[in-house]
Amino acid sequence: QAAVVACNTASAVALDVVEEISQLKNSFPVFGVIEAGSRAVLKGQGKRIVILGTQGTVRSQAYLQMLKKLGTTKPIAQKACPLFVPLVEENMLHGPATEWIVNHYLKDFILEGDDVVLGCTHYPFLRDVLEKQFPQASFYDAGAALKELGSFGANDSEKNKIHFLFSDDSVSSMSLSDLLLKCGILDVEWSQLRL
């Protein structure tokens, strides 16, 4: 078993707490997306690294600290894009409004040759629009990069069950289940955290 803190903001501000609980219970490894995204973008050839994230992720400086810990000397720029999340949650992945919002945040910010971390699990859903508007930049999905951090206990003879814990009920588990089915994830358990 392993725990994945798949939210960049949660990884930025609470990964150490989850790791501490795991160590106390001596039960499972814990992975977060900040290190995964940082390691992925360091494989890029760009002269500058750009982090796109929520206000919480950017404010935490977690990516900046991790990238420096991993030894980068490249300049790093960060930008919070808070309207990207509701765009994705409203399934507005394309169209004039989405293009306008992307342009509003990132025109003259993303430069030719930048290596850009999509530092929120929602942001990769806007990748088509981002690549269309900034074709000379390279984009890295922090969530997708998790698979390179380590083994999550999978093997060919074993079927893994995924247990999702979520704190926001603005999107129903039914909608999320539909999305996961499209991704080929069939065996899911749901629990809502009451905060």
Side-chain angles (χ1 to χ4, degrees), residues 163-175:
H163 191 154
F164 284 89
L165 304 168
F166 60 100
S167 57
D168 184 356
D169 62 2
S170 63
V171 180
S172 71
S173 59
M174 185 63 71
S175 298

Side-chain angles (χ1 to χ4, degrees), residues 6-19:
C7 171
N8 283 260
T9 307
S11 288
V13 300
L15 183 64
D16 55 344
V17 176
V18 179
E19 288 174 330

Side-chain angles (χ1 to χ4, degrees), residues 60-100:
S60 75
Q61 302 290 308
Y63 271 104
L64 185 66
Q65 293 166 15
M66 179 59 70
L67 286 162
K68 289 187 174 179
K69 178 181 175 183
L70 294 173
T72 190
T73 57
K74 293 180 180 182
I76 302 167
Q78 300 186 92
K79 183 78 167 181
C81 305
L83 288 177
F84 283 10
V85 171
L87 282 176
V88 172
E89 291 183 348
E90 293 299 323
N91 201 29
M92 295 175 63
L93 307 183
H94 303 278
T98 302
E99 291 177 7
W100 186 90

